[in-house]
Amino acid sequence: MPQDKRHQGDDLVALGLARLEAGDRDGALEHFRDVLTRTPGDPDALHGMACAARAAGRPDLAIGLAGKAIAALPAAHFHITLGRALHEQGHLEEARAALSVATLREPRDPRAHAALAGVLEAQGARAEAEVSLRRAVALRPRDPAPMLELAQLRTRGGDRPGGIALTRQAVALAPDRVESLDALAALLAGAGQAEEAEPVYRDILRLRPADPAAWANHGAALFGLNRHDAARAALEHAARLAPEVAETQNNLGLVLMALGHLPEAHAALAAARALRPEDSRIAVNAATVLADLSRTGEAEDLCRAVLARADAGADLDAARARFNLGTLLLARGAGAEGWRCLEARSRLIPITDDRGGNIPDWDGSAIESGAVLLRAEQGLGDTIQFLRYLPQAARRARLVLDIPESLHRLVRTMPDPDGTLWPRCRLLAPGAPPPPDIVARCGLISLPDRLGMPDVPAFSPYLLPTMARARQAAGVVRVGLCWAGNPSYRFDRRRSVSPAMLAPLGEVAGVSFVSLQHDDSGEGGAAGLPFALERPAQGDLLATARTIAGLDLVITVDTATAHLAGAMGRPVWLLNRFGGDWRWSAYFDLSTPSPWGNRGSRWYPSLHQFRQMRPDPPAHAWDEPVARMRDALARWRDGLR
């Protein structure tokens, strides 16, 4: 070919490749066809067609086109395209051969080494793959692309810290390269380093302010940090930019649910389900908001539908569906099936230590030799609630009780009327390994199922039951207040109360309030309360119990304080959110009317609820139950005088 025509052909091929690089695949294909019409068999045009075929998802066609190009001109970069196409078709050995030729023909081309690394990793030769990628990095040390590939290789090999460090290096080489920032943010989020991931997502948003995915990712990161209001704003903006993205609608629904906007949360999750009707994760989230809206029948049907799917045997979404189904069943009194379904929590609750990990589960049968390791699994409230089953468990086996140290002194106050509990139950020291006589293990919450006790056992006070209330000055009623739970709990905004919302209680004369908070949790902290608050000395749960024993009444949200006062048999009023936790459902109400709030609880007969009766907006959701509580408190005060 004459030199001027050769240059002309080169320019035409370059134009086609530029179109391909810009994402105009069809235009590139048409362009290369035109070049081949003018100069049949042109190797560069054939190679361009092979690149376009790969971009179109047709590696099979690319293999043939790249082969023809190589037959005419065995250029190294033609072998790279052939090797990548063979890799995509699953022909690993042939791909490795083609890419090895490329590295031999042009050993200074980092693309050849990087492509060869991908094949080597697919063949299980991870160490050789890393060597190839390090060659690519050495050949182009200022290029973030091979550095990022090396980081991803290290991460896939289990070295997440190494992957993060290399990705940071890639970001440092090109701080405004979105691909590197995306990779870094995902790695940090996956490593649980949410605080570090969030500003990276913010950087991506700065570079792509009109990108709905950038807004959605930033919103998800903010949600992970419990920054719900900011997360809502970001996700709503993402949904406006791209309303047909199921993941955005799903995350928006979760944020709205956490904020207490239940009808809006249901609408977002319904939209997500319509976009991805077979997605089990979205379906379980939708069932959760239905339960919170007290549409429990629909929620149960949705959970059962998830479990009925053929692929639902092993995934975590099925475990979530089974656990949620368990809470729905318990809430309506189907205890036997409900407790069994609750066992799915073993796949959902993170294990913070593996002590006893190889010990078999206890089935509840009598054990004559050895002991059962009985472990607290969740919060202090759950532990207190299920301690009531200890005497029954101790009749079947000797027990080693593994519970938080803050409960150790308190649990020793449990009565032992028939002398079978404490001779057969001992406490495990904090951090100590299970003793050698352990032959089985069981979670405290599993006891109703393992002991065959599907319904609530008869109640008598079982923590600090004999301590009498200290006499107070005439006319003074002492009321303990606990208005907030653990703020790290994702849905704490729904159960906790802003102190300012309790202002009506201060209108009741003759009442002295005592703080049962262990910190200033809650919006505004204690400073938001418009009345004086006594602060007793803090300590472990026994110290709190002794404070409660000196009170006339405890007012609390759904926290360990409710369980503690209830287990002591002390009067306790629970402010409970609409569609609240299963254990406070109407099924567990006492049959006798309550002179105070809603009916008392079979879990704790001295506990009376003041429920939200409607899914009102969060700003007003507590107005009505607090007003009822204020009036009840005035009547309670009069009854004590």
Side-chain angles (χ1 to χ4, degrees):
M1 180 184 298
Q3 192 68 22
D4 58 341
K5 289 188 176 181
R6 180 73 232 174
H7 285 311
Q8 185 180 12
D10 289 345
D11 291 342
L12 289 171
V13 169
L15 180 59
L17 292 173
R19 287 186 176 180
L20 189 60
E21 182 71 21
D24 183 10
R25 189 184 62 212
D26 294 337
L29 279 170
E30 185 63 33
H31 181 81
F32 288 129
R33 287 195 188 98
D34 185 54
V35 173
L36 287 170
T37 300
R38 298 182 190 183
T39 55
D42 183 285
D44 289 310
L46 287 168
H47 175 250
M49 287 284 286
C51 293
R54 280 191 62 234
R58 293 295 306 272
D60 53 331
L61 294 179
I63 291 169
L65 290 163
K68 289 181 180 179
I70 289 169
L73 178 66
H77 62 290
F78 294 179
H79 284 87
I80 295 174
T81 299
L82 175 61
R84 285 174 169 163
L86 287 165
H87 184 182
E88 290 160 3
Q89 278 293 96
H91 304 307
L92 297 182
E93 198 55 48
E94 293 87 344
R96 181 173 181 171
L99 292 165
S100 295
V101 170
T103 61
L104 290 171
R105 285 188 173 276
E106 185 47 76
R108 298 193 58 79
D109 189 337
R111 298 172 301 169
H113 295 287
L116 179 59
V119 175
L120 291 167
E121 184 187 11
Q123 290 183 315
R126 191 177 298 277
E128 294 178 60
E130 183 166 338
V131 169
S132 284
L133 274 176
R134 289 197 177 278
R135 285 177 184 152
V137 170
L139 287 166
R140 196 168 292 173
R142 304 301 302 169
D143 184 352
M147 182 77 73
L148 189 59
E149 290 187 50
L150 179 59
Q152 292 166 344
L153 176 71
R154 295 296 296 270
T155 302
R156 290 191 294 268
D159 181 13
R160 191 190 296 269
I164 290 174
L166 286 164
T167 306
R168 288 190 188 279
Q169 292 181 44
V171 169
L173 290 171
D176 289 346
R177 188 174 186 267
V178 171
E179 293 80 5
S180 301
L181 290 167
D182 267 332
L184 179 59
L187 280 174
L188 291 169
Q193 299 176 35
E195 289 282 359
E196 293 186 56
E198 186 274 328
V200 182
Y201 283 120
R202 201 186 321 136
D203 277 344
I204 295 169
L205 189 59
R206 172 180 57 81
L207 295 167
R208 292 186 176 175
D211 184 352
W215 283 97
N217 289 337
H218 190 221
L222 291 165
F223 183 39
L225 293 170
N226 287 347
R227 292 165 57 181
H228 295 139
D229 293 307
R232 176 185 181 179
L235 288 164
E236 285 181 337
H237 190 68
R240 285 192 293 271
L241 291 172
E244 302 301 310
V245 179
E247 191 65 26
T248 300
Q249 297 288 354
N250 174 72
N251 289 340
L252 177 58
L254 292 175
V255 170
L256 290 166
M257 186 162 48
L259 286 168
H261 298 283
L262 299 182
E264 296 91 337
H266 174 257
L269 286 164
R273 282 198 69 217
L275 292 165
R276 285 217 304 256
E278 298 304 313
D279 190 311
S280 295
R281 179 174 53 94
I282 293 174
V284 175
N285 291 338
T288 301
V289 76
L290 285 168
D292 281 353
L293 284 165
S294 293
R295 295 165 59 175
T296 52
E298 295 172 72
E300 183 175 332
D301 289 344
L302 194 48
C303 287
R304 291 192 185 278
V306 170
L307 293 171
R309 291 175 182 165
D311 60 349
D315 64 44
L316 288 177
D317 296 321
R320 289 178 58 223
R322 190 172 301 281
F323 178 84
N324 287 2
L325 176 61
T327 65
L328 292 163
L329 292 167
L330 289 170
R332 66 173 174 83
E337 185 184 1
W339 291 119
R340 286 196 301 273
C341 286
L342 229 60
E343 293 297 294
R345 73 188 183 281
S346 63
R347 297 198 58 217
L348 303 174
I349 301 172
I351 297 176
T352 55
D353 65 67
D354 60 355
R355 293 178 301 159
N358 296 321
I359 300 171
D361 289 334
W362 184 41
D363 63 3
S365 59
I367 294 178
E368 300 300 327
S369 178
V372 173
L373 180 66
L374 201 55
R375 305 189 68 173
E377 305 165 81
Q378 299 188 59
L380 292 173
D382 289 315
T383 303
I384 291 169
Q385 179 181 4
F386 289 92
L387 283 173
R388 76 188 62 211
Y389 293 92
L390 277 187
Q392 294 89 340
R395 295 187 186 107
R396 301 193 189 183
R398 290 196 300 278
L399 306 174
V400 175
L401 192 57
D402 184 9
I403 60 175
E405 187 177 10
S406 61
L407 282 166
H408 278 206
R409 291 201 305 153
L410 177 66
V411 79
R412 291 188 183 279
T413 70
M414 289 187 70
D416 190 6
D418 58 7
T420 61
L421 174 59
W422 288 115
R424 294 173 62 82
C425 181
R426 62 192 191 271
L427 288 167
L428 185 65
D437 62 336
I438 295 294
V439 296
R441 64 176 180 172
C442 181
L444 269 173
I445 302 175
S446 294
L447 287 178
D449 177 58
R450 305 298 162 81
L451 298 173
M453 301 175 66
D455 211 348
V456 182
F459 178 84
S460 62
Y462 59 89
L463 290 176
L464 202 66
T466 59
M467 187 170 178
R469 177 188 177 274
R471 295 184 61 83
Q472 304 297 320
V476 176
V477 176
R478 299 184 78 225
V479 176
L481 283 184
C482 178
W483 58 87
N486 183 351
S488 66
Y489 172 52
R490 178 165 286 183
F491 297 102
D492 182 66
R493 288 273 288 268
R494 287 208 58 222
R495 68 171 177 180
S496 292
V497 180
S498 168
M501 293 180 178
L502 298 178
L505 302 182
E507 299 169 6
V508 181
V511 175
S512 172
F513 292 100
V514 179
S515 173
L516 295 176
Q517 291 288 146
H518 273 243
D519 52 31
D520 281 335
S521 299
E523 184 182 343
L529 287 168
F531 45 79
L533 195 68
E534 178 187 334
R535 288 186 173 277
Q538 294 188 3
D540 63 6
L541 267 293
L542 179 59
T544 304
R546 286 172 173 160
T547 298
I548 289 172
L551 300 173
D552 293 289
L553 174 67
V554 169
I555 292 175
T556 181
V557 294
D558 183 9
T559 66
T561 300
H563 294 278
L564 177 55
M568 294 169 62
R570 300 297 301 153
V572 52
W573 291 356
L574 176 70
L575 280 164
N576 198 15
R577 64 192 183 275
F578 185 81
D581 192 82
W582 61 269
R583 72 202 78 208
W584 310 124
S585 73
Y587 171 78
F588 295 107
D589 286 353
L590 293 172
S591 58
T592 54
S594 167
W596 314 117
N598 304 100
R599 295 175 186 269
S601 169
R602 287 194 289 137
W603 289 109
Y604 309 108
S606 64
L607 182 147
H608 297 261
Q609 294 187 59
F610 290 76
R611 293 181 175 118
Q612 293 177 358
M613 305 308 293
R614 299 174 302 276
D616 290 332
H620 305 290
W622 294 109
D623 291 352
E624 192 273 337
V626 169
R628 280 191 287 124
M629 182 174 279
R630 175 200 58 207
D631 297 341
L633 183 58
R635 288 184 282 115
W636 174 277
R637 173 209 57 196
D638 293 342
L640 290 181
R641 285 178 171 175

